Amino acid sequence: MKLHELTIAEARQLLLDKKISSVELTRAFLDRIDAFDDRIGAYITVDEGPALEQARQADDAISKGEASVLTGIPLALKDLLCTKGVKTTCGSEILDNFVPLYDGTAVAKLKAGGAILLGKTNLDEFGMGSSTENSSYKVTTNPWNPNHVPGGSSGGSAAAVSAQFCCGSLGTDTGGSIRQPASHCGVVGLKPTYGRVSRFGLVSYASSLDQIGPITRDVTDAALLLNVIVGNDPMDSTSAREAVPDFTRALAQFDREGLKGMTAGIPKEYLSQEGLDPEVRQVFDSARNVFEDLGVEMKEISLPHTDYVVAAYYIIAPCEASSNLARFDGVKYGYRDFSSDDLIRMYKQTKSKGFGPEVQRRIIIGTYSLSAGYYDAYYGRASKVRTLIMKDFATAFQGCDFILSPVAPAPAFKIGENSDDPLTMYLSDIFTLSANMAGIPGMSVPAGFSSQGLPIGVQLMGKRFDEFSVLKAGYGLEQTVVLLEKKFPIL
Ligand code: GLN
């Protein structure tokens, strides 16, 4: 097997057995990025020198018998995560020159686990988008077909894993940005329960919805990375104190006892959505059959407020964004427009030139919805709808262990196809937004391909803090279905 095809688990074993070195492995990814990333555009920053230096140190540690859980494993991080000494742009011109003085908690945990940081991946500006076309730097293409988007906003991270430019990566998910690009790129993406992973050092988009999570080649690697990044953090007051299991035990549990005794909920409102592509439906049905064959009981459930999810999310997320992004004013961070001679004009010019059109649209929607006189009608009402969505899930989970659904209504669309149509773009988030609104975990697992050869995933959602069941069921699906399919795009 080629070095760049290795999963985290496989690479780790070979490193520990001293069959390969971390320098070789890191070099293999750097060479591949060098050869192909001008076509894919997965990375904004490649940190070659420091990555090789970290790899040398990792080899040293391994030879002394001091390896930690990720020692020597090269990873990529979405460029929304603060990395000490490494530029963190958030895909925005306004942070073009921002070099953080600290690592975010998840990043620090990966480093403490011995991981190598290859670089920072492309994204929709501040995480706002579903296609990675809203980056100020470049458009990322789908490794399976360069005319199609990789999904977004963590499109760079998903494309980097799929194109084998890293062993695994972290993305962030506010309304689907880990799961949807993972589905479009044929890799695994896990959004943990809200609060499971500290948000400290994650540049905020919508603080009550944002979560960091793994994007990996398989479910085993998702469990491995999740194990490293979870846990309570005094630096994030919303981070949970919940006990943390060893998530890799979920996989062992599948190997031992299968999925018999589990019940999957099938939300009827999801499958009756008009606009659900027949090929997505087909892949969904085949995944459902796999679960049935594995002895999982299927149960139709209802999530009655599904029709209001998109509208409520696209009020709440912009409201929080308009507040979070107020700090980027040309004074405290990043880009400043020097052409204005008074303060107000400087603010206006800085924001007009520093933020792209989608971010400006969200700031305007958010500011409007929060303004006196409109707050109750928009933000207040959207928050009430959010409570109803949470209740829908609480009721549904009384009768099932996980919910099975499509990830996106259609396979990856063509680059440019929806860029002038924000509403269509927003509507394509219908199946992923509710997990963030309800704070529950959700994972996208590759489950098939469209007739055009584009990957299609299915989503498994779990009860709050029950990533364990999601991983166990997702692993069961992966063992049964994905191994029969082609695994890598040809670059
Ligand atoms: N597509 C959604 C949005 O634009 C979700 C993005 C995300 O999860 N960061 O807001």
Side-chain angles (χ1 to χ4, degrees):
M1 186 181 266
K2 301 187 185 94
L3 287 180
H4 55 80
E5 290 182 0
L6 296 172
T7 64
I8 295 174
E10 290 164 347
R12 178 173 153 73
Q13 200 50 52
L14 292 172
L15 285 166
L16 292 181
D17 294 346
K18 306 205 176 66
K19 299 226 168 76
I20 60 170
S21 73
S22 176
V23 170
E24 274 174 308
L25 185 62
T26 306
R27 237 321 22 123
F29 287 120
L30 290 169
D31 288 348
R32 211 172 146 78
I33 295 167
D34 207 35
F36 299 113
D37 199 35
D38 53 347
R39 257 198 270 158
I40 307 289
Y43 284 89
I44 293 179
T45 304
V46 179
D47 209 22
E48 174 158 352
L52 286 168
E53 181 47 40
Q54 291 161 35
R56 274 189 282 275
Q57 287 169 13
D59 285 333
D60 231 35
I62 293 169
S63 70
K64 288 190 200 134
E66 290 166 4
S68 185
V69 50
L70 293 174
T71 298
I73 304 289
L75 301 178
L77 302 176
K78 185 179 187 179
D79 207 15
L80 200 57
L81 296 162
C82 286
T83 42
K84 185 175 178 178
V86 181
K87 198 166 75 157
T88 299
T89 67
C90 302
S92 181
E93 216 156 314
I94 212 155
L95 286 176
D96 192 37
N97 56 6
F98 176 51
V99 179
L101 297 171
Y102 62 96
D103 282 322
T105 300
V107 177
K109 287 186 173 212
L110 290 180
K111 283 190 180 169
I116 313 292
L117 173 55
L118 283 172
K120 307 292 292 290
T121 55
N122 198 25
L123 67 153
D124 289 300
E125 192 174 358
F126 288 101
M128 298 178 193
S130 314
S131 66
T132 317
E133 294 168 292
N134 297 339
S135 163
S136 304
Y137 296 90
K138 53 175 94 172
V139 171
T140 301
T141 62
N142 190 313
W144 292 90
N145 184 332
N147 300 320
H148 290 253
V149 301
S153 64
S154 311
S157 286
V161 175
S162 155
Q164 306 141 63
F165 293 162
C166 58
C167 262
S169 69
L170 291 189
T172 71
D173 191 310
T174 305
S177 281
I178 287 176
R179 291 159 285 156
Q180 183 255 25
S183 174
H184 286 349
C185 290
V187 294
V188 171
L190 170 61
K191 180 201 92 72
T193 306
Y194 183 78
R196 215 14 143 185
V197 179
S198 166
R199 291 182 297 110
F200 178 69
L202 159 62
V203 178
S204 298
Y205 161 14
S207 317
S208 77
L209 303 160
D210 298 338
Q211 258 299 281
I212 301 170
I215 298 182
T216 52
R217 292 205 215 303
D218 64 14
V219 176
T220 305
D221 284 2
L224 280 171
L225 283 191
L226 188 64
N227 268 354
V228 176
I229 60 175
V230 292
N232 180 254
D233 177 13
M235 300 301 279
D236 171 6
S237 60
T238 63
S239 92
R241 291 180 187 281
E242 198 78 12
V244 176
D246 171 359
F247 293 104
T248 59
R249 275 189 19 242
L251 321 179
Q253 205 178 78
F254 171 81
D255 288 334
R256 246 188 355 261
E257 36 190 83
L259 299 182
K260 278 208 187 63
M262 285 187 107
T263 304
I266 310 288
K268 62 172 186 217
E269 291 83 1
Y270 281 32
L271 298 182
S272 59
Q273 286 296 318
E274 59 177 275
L276 181 63
D277 184 284
E279 292 191 312
V280 171
R281 174 68 201 237
Q282 223 169 34
V283 168
F284 172 83
D285 286 341
S286 67
R288 173 161 63 183
N289 291 341
V290 168
F291 280 121
E292 254 167 348
D293 290 346
L294 287 168
V296 175
E297 191 189 324
M298 294 292 150
K299 185 174 167 191
E300 185 180 89
I301 55 156
S302 176
L303 299 168
H305 296 92
T306 298
D307 278 352
Y308 308 101
V309 167
V310 175
Y313 171 90
Y314 277 99
I315 295 292
I316 291 174
C319 284
E320 295 188 23
S322 74
S323 164
N324 277 325
L325 268 53
R327 71 191 74 176
F328 305 111
D329 56 6
V331 176
K332 298 186 273 303
Y333 297 91
Y335 169 79
R336 175 187 301 186
D337 176 72
F338 282 101
S339 67
S340 333
D341 43 18
D342 70 86
L343 184 66
I344 299 299
R345 194 164 314 138
M346 190 281 284
Y347 283 156
K348 281 189 185 159
Q349 289 298 324
T350 296
K351 288 173 183 261
S352 301
K353 291 181 188 165
F355 289 133
E358 184 60 28
V359 172
Q360 295 193 30
R361 182 179 298 121
R362 308 266 180 124
I363 292 174
I364 290 168
I365 295 173
T367 310
Y368 177 85
S369 311
L370 289 174
S371 54
Y374 294 107
Y375 181 98
D376 289 336
Y378 293 102
Y379 185 73
R381 191 171 289 189
S383 301
K384 287 180 186 158
V385 172
R386 183 176 185 177
T387 304
L388 294 172
I389 294 165
M390 287 176 177
K391 286 189 180 151
D392 282 356
F393 279 97
T395 309
F397 277 125
Q398 282 170 9
C400 62
D401 301 296
F402 66 94
I403 293 174
L404 182 65
S405 87
V407 182
F413 48 83
K414 285 217 167 87
I415 290 172
E417 193 176 316
N418 289 333
S419 13
D420 298 331
D421 187 357
L423 193 59
T424 304
M425 197 84 101
Y426 298 170
L427 288 169
S428 73
D429 292 339
I430 170 93
F431 301 131
T432 48
L433 301 175
S434 359
N436 303 74
M437 297 285 262
I440 59 175
M443 178 165 72
S444 167
V445 181
F449 287 87
S450 74
S451 49
Q452 282 188 49
L454 290 164
I456 298 173
V458 292
Q459 174 172 233
L460 284 72
M461 290 181 278
K463 299 174 188 164
R464 289 185 71 223
F465 297 107
D466 190 18
E467 288 84 359
F468 199 91
S469 298
V470 169
L471 286 161
K472 180 176 158 187
Y475 180 70
L477 176 70
E478 181 184 71
Q479 295 307 299
T480 323
V481 71
V482 179
L483 293 183
L484 307 174
E485 303 268 6
K486 50 190 172 195
K487 266 180 102 176
F488 297 114
I490 298 161
L491 297 191

